[in-house]
Amino acid sequence: MLDRTVSLTLCEAIVRYAKHHIVDMFLLNRHHELYFDKSLRYELINFRAQRQNTRDIMQDLADTAAGIEVVHQADAEKLRKEQKRARKEARLAQRVRSLEKLVLTGDLDSLTYSQRRGLEKHLSEERIAELMEQRSINAVQVQTSLFV
């Protein structure tokens, strides 16, 4: 619709207040089709303003040659999301390790509600049973080493 790049706020204002101009321009560009095919109907439904990330490779190369670091917003957002996901995975792994340690060292009956809830959420029944078995094996080994 526009011949040049304009701000996103201007595009949002056009979408909000001048939809009839968008419809008129669309119909003007397709009036031949509508005239010759009377059964043809267009229904314009989705009006939105959208930002498109464009990259000028030549400008990026020139900036890089001049010693300017080139970072695009889309790349920065992707990196930020990846780092956030990695931090979340690390937190979850640490939480699972601490819950496994709790099962190996403590009595499950004395756990608080939040600890029991964490066990149910992060550890499967099979994993809890496996840890309980390891705990009993470790307890037997400690007892036999005391009597030797």
Side-chain angles (χ1 to χ4, degrees):
M1 178 176 164
L2 301 172
D3 296 335
R4 59 184 170 81
T5 304
V6 296
S7 70
L8 186 61
T9 55
L10 180 62
C11 293
E12 290 170 347
I14 291 171
V15 167
R16 180 175 288 163
Y17 300 113
K19 285 183 186 176
H20 62 282
H21 289 296
I22 297 170
V23 172
D24 290 344
M25 181 176 277
F26 179 83
L27 293 176
L28 181 66
N29 289 335
R30 288 169 180 77
H31 74 280
H32 293 297
E33 298 168 7
L34 292 169
Y35 180 77
F36 290 111
D37 188 0
K38 299 294 182 187
S39 66
L40 183 62
R41 298 279 183 252
Y42 287 108
E43 183 179 3
L44 303 178
I45 298 173
N46 191 4
F47 294 91
R48 66 175 181 234
Q50 179 178 339
R51 176 181 52 171
Q52 293 180 342
N53 294 324
T54 58
R55 298 177 186 208
D56 185 3
I57 295 174
M58 297 306 290
Q59 181 65 41
D60 291 350
L61 291 173
D63 290 344
T64 304
I68 301 171
E69 182 180 358
V70 177
V71 178
H72 293 277
Q73 183 178 1
D75 294 339
E77 288 177 12
K78 186 176 179 181
L79 179 64
R80 183 183 53 80
K81 286 180 182 180
E82 178 64 30
Q83 289 172 343
K84 182 178 179 181
R85 187 187 60 76
R87 286 192 310 269
K88 184 177 180 180
E89 287 177 358
R91 275 194 319 270
L92 180 62
Q94 176 59 35
R95 177 78 174 141
V96 168
R97 281 194 303 273
S98 67
L99 288 171
E100 288 176 347
K101 183 179 176 184
L102 187 66
V103 170
L104 286 172
T105 59
D107 184 20
L108 293 182
D109 296 331
S110 65
L111 296 179
T112 64
Y113 174 77
S114 62
Q115 289 171 332
R116 272 188 253 120
R117 186 77 179 110
L119 281 175
E120 294 170 2
K121 183 177 179 183
H122 297 294
L123 298 177
S124 66
E125 297 277 334
E126 296 84 22
R127 182 66 180 147
I128 293 173
E130 182 182 310
L131 291 170
M132 294 292 285
E133 185 178 326
Q134 283 181 5
R135 186 174 82 178
S136 64
I137 291 172
N138 289 343
V140 169
Q141 288 177 351
V142 168
Q143 287 179 355
T144 57
S145 66
L146 291 175
F147 294 114
V148 173

